[in-house]
Amino acid sequence: MAIEIDNNEKKNRTFDIDKIRNDFPILKQLINGKPLVYFDNAATTQKPLSVINKIESYYKEINSNIHRGVHTLSQRATVEYEATREKVMRFINAENLSEIIFTKGTTDSINLVASSFGKKFVKEGDEIIVSQMEHHSNIVPWQMLCEEKNAHLKVIPINDSGELIIEEYEKLITEKTKLVSIVYVSNSLGTINPVKEIIKIAHSKNVPVLIDAAQAIQHFKIDVKELDCDFLCFSGHKVYGPTGIGVLYGKQALLESMPPYQGGGDMIRSVSFSKTVYNSLPAKFEAGTPNIEAGIALGTAFDYINSIGIENIFDYETDLFNYANEKILAIDKLIPIGTAKNKSGTISFILDGVHPHDIGTILDFDGVAIRTGHHCTQPVMERFNLPATARISFGLYNTKEEVDIAIKSIKKVFEVFI
Amino acid sequence: MAIEIDNNEKKNRTFDIDKIRNDFPILKQLINGKPLVYFDNAATTQKPLSVINKIESYYKEINSNIHRGVHTLSQRATVEYEATREKVMRFINAENLSEIIFTKGTTDSINLVASSFGKKFVKEGDEIIVSQMEHHSNIVPWQMLCEEKNAHLKVIPINDSGELIIEEYEKLITEKTKLVSIVYVSNSLGTINPVKEIIKIAHSKNVPVLIDAAQAIQHFKIDVKELDCDFLCFSGHKVYGPTGIGVLYGKQALLESMPPYQGGGDMIRSVSFSKTVYNSLPAKFEAGTPNIEAGIALGTAFDYINSIGIENIFDYETDLFNYANEKILAIDKLIPIGTAKNKSGTISFILDGVHPHDIGTILDFDGVAIRTGHHCTQPVMERFNLPATARISFGLYNTKEEVDIAIKSIKKVFEVFI
Amino acid sequence: MNLDLRELYQQVILDHNKNPRNFKILTNYNHFAEGYNPLCGDKIDIYVLIESNIIKDVSFVGNGCAISKSSASLMTTILKGKTEEEAKQIFENFHVMITGKLNEEKSLEELGKLAVFQGVKEFPARVKCASLAWHTFNAAVKNEKTVTTE
Amino acid sequence: MNLDLRELYQQVILDHNKNPRNFKILTNYNHFAEGYNPLCGDKIDIYVLIESNIIKDVSFVGNGCAISKSSASLMTTILKGKTEEEAKQIFENFHVMITGKLNEEKSLEELGKLAVFQGVKEFPARVKCASLAWHTFNAAVKNEKTVTTE
Ligand SMILES: Cc1ncc(COP(=O)(O)O)c(C=O)c1O
Ligand SMILES: Cc1ncc(COP(=O)(O)O)c(C=O)c1O
């Protein structure tokens, strides 16, 4: 069992940015002869050496299939894999291990819920509520479900700052609403949604809520009990862990009431052609050989975050974000997209007369990696009548100096295009 | 483009077992003070250093999200990830890149087909044919589909040697049959099924065939054009690659006719709340951030296999298998389970009066890792009226000396239990 | 033979494995449960007769590895005549022992014949084998139908 | 300014980006296609009027990055008056150039004004931008409605 450090002690640990940067080998890469300035963290984060080393030692020392083996390697691998489930449970303060389902990523998690919850609870004429700022992975699975079931997808609109219009949300909930599925932090606008309030409103009408925490889990403390969310999803690769692993948290009673998603090994108790009995949670939703390597390394990623303290990460990143936001928004002819009061992690913008794709190319010349495009949120682009934006998104290893380099590079864009 | 070496040249390359064993760092591990003898290859294979190094260098040098990035890292990662698709295409001789879908593994691949093909083509009263020797992952998805659609699952029986009874299969195919889904090599019996014949029979009645090649791809040459199979699945982790990645091959026209499986990023061309347009193949079936790391490293695993030559692997393993089969079957009071004429990779057995679980524990004392249990093939256990078997399964790095160690250890079981 | 191996497979265990005691279906019982260990395919049915809080009779049938079979067999011999509370206490001590958390000589003594299972603590994969019968007995007493250890 | 950067964003390209030629919907056309580059959200509509195998008129509308827009603009100025076969040949040369497979000075000369795009070959991610208009033109001529480059 992990030793609990009280919050004050956590706060008092210093945030040693030089040491942290040293933990990420890729930051020493040169891109076009310049040091990499990695500002594409919302797409995927870089990995600390401890995570990389864990994968290496896993394959060099204990690689084995898990759950069904009596031999030593299989036992070791099983123990390490299941240890991650416990780390995740503690990190988000879930009630028990049955509530932590390993998936391929956020997209897989949401599809699991859309399929399984949908099969059980969504009927013709029912309604699902999402928002206009959802990632495609929190839109398309519901569209597919609604098409199949003849149900309806309702959309909470956003205002010009990129904030949800809560009054409209309240009007959308009816007796037909079966689920509200909402992003915690928008990956294209940076908006932090008032999910606690959203959940309260839904619960007052007995509607469960799914929270897409893909852009939240890496930036601030999440407590599923305090939020009282019914489902919560995130991707390992956006929280300093490997690709190919994600988490679906669900309240136990809800998960128990849902039918399995995929069929295969591990998710069954017994199989025969006359009668197959499904396994209990969490195995019921984990068919087939899991991503063992990534599951184990995800635990190491959480160890890493815990060694710094998520509150310290939040404080550091908030300071960095405020610095960047002020300086970037001060750039002449730069138009920010998404100006919500509560923001985290992401600054989206366009430059007058320059296509974001060209901005991306020019910044890349200076080693600055940003993302340009619709960020898998085309309804947001439509809302602001844009084909694309340029997006700077932060990780715990970014610095103010890097922000300055990016700003210099953004100014260069005008030199080229005038 | 890879340089094509003609078959004769491939054959003439020597199979240098010492060098090969050196390529796998884990083989130097001691288990209970004894050198690891890894005979659990059907569960998962060990990884060559080149694969481990690839993962490491991926994270240290180019880690980035793919497909939508203009910056340097994203481009590099995209190129490497897509290079694996081409390697897989060549390895199984598919017609084009659209036919290679990346999944999480065999289980995910089969679930994809059961869900998507099922949605489109399977109606009430229709029939799906599997066999009695299928892995649970090729049973449960079809049971779930049949339950949902009120369709029927038909089962090809096996004889006492663990071979499919082809005459029974021929009787099972009717106008109601929508798909035949068959394992190429049984993971619990070792039987190599006559899949070419099975496919021919199905095609003569216009029924498509899925081949579960999870236990075949690593042992001998597979040519999807020659087999003329409609779908083929395998897992990366059983072919010397990482966990969390698998392949679904499908004939292009068939894949094109099928609806998408999961919804999310990458699998769409454009999303709006009024109309969402799905992407073309293979992206249509690949929602969300893929397992980039594992995708890239799977390519390295195929490079490794190609560097040895799959024909050479087949020759070496055949010789090893024959040696082991003869010597193991000669053990007094040992009863082999699965005595088909054509076998590959796996020897299952029981010892009179000793539970397989105890065999597993005793062998583990000597560093010999085998699997005991039902191997996710409970209908096979039922067929032979057994709770479990002990299974030895081979990889390209195993040796006759290792077989001798295992045999000595099996004999020790009797010492304990007499 | 390997020393550790002999520690796991003690003679008493091998004996109970070969000649399990109370290996039958009770004709007169008022509690019953099925236990599964999907890891190795173990399956054990437990039959119990309890009268005025006393375990009058207990038996088992099923199949499993040497550890689970002998553990079931020994359990039946020990529980007969005990009260429910005593049974609970014995299982607690037993569980503490096989998971390696026992540190007082005294409690080991208390465990009596069950001490032959102390080698199990070195084999995490086998703890479930050793405890399956006990979990199933508990389920039977609580009138739960099935139990799984995983 | 960075040298390589200037090689990609040549003055001609910037000029066509700012003042695209033939940026309109033809009132009289007999071929049309829509082109998408989902990578950057580029979307281009191409209108073509072909009479007796001669490209009488060609225009475009849409939005995209500087490379795709200027490529579309330059394409329209070059194709006017050419035969379908000549257009095909030009695109082939162009494609060879931007994918970095051109090795004869002669063909570069043949490409004339299009040579300003030779910097693109250093930017694999931008090849699709430069070729989008051409692919769309091809689709229009073949009477395919939409084309995507990915
Ligand atoms: C024949 C066969 N099919 C399917 C599977 C399932 O593969 P995975 O667990 O990698 O999805 C396996 C592996 O256990 C297998 O041996
Ligand atoms: C808010 C949000 N939701 C969902 C996703 C999808 O995550 P993944 O691609 O890892 O499945 C992302 C990542 O792009 C995201 O930012």
Side-chain angles (χ1 to χ4, degrees), chain B residues 365, chain C residues 3-10 13 67 97-100 108 114-124 126-127 130:
Chain B
F365 261 101
Chain C
L3 246 180
D4 298 339
L5 202 49
R6 180 52 76 202
E7 242 167 70
L8 178 64
Y9 292 110
Q10 299 208 20
I13 291 178
I67 305 298
M97 175 186 73
I98 59 177
T99 51
L108 192 58
L114 288 175
V116 296
F117 288 102
Q118 58 177 307
V120 170
K121 67 173 182 288
E122 310 291 342
F123 301 83
R126 309 306 296 267
V127 169

Side-chain angles (χ1 to χ4, degrees), chain A residues 329-398:
Chain A
L329 267 53
I331 296 173
D332 199 30
K333 289 193 203 155
L334 180 146
I335 303 153
I337 307 300
T339 49
K341 261 177 242 102
N342 278 313
K343 286 187 64 176
S344 166
T346 286
I347 298 174
S348 258
F349 63 90
I350 56 170
L351 300 182
D352 201 14
V354 186
H355 191 280
H357 206 171
D358 293 311
I359 304 174
T361 294
I362 292 170
L363 265 63
D364 188 50
F365 261 101
D366 291 334
V368 180
I370 66 164
R371 189 129 306 218
T372 64
H374 53 59
H375 317 295
C376 288
T377 57
Q378 285 188 344
V380 171
M381 299 300 120
E382 220 173 275
R383 168 67 176 76
F384 290 96
N385 199 18
L386 295 167
T389 73
R391 179 184 75 182
I392 288 180
S393 57
F394 303 99
L396 61 87
Y397 33 67
N398 288 129

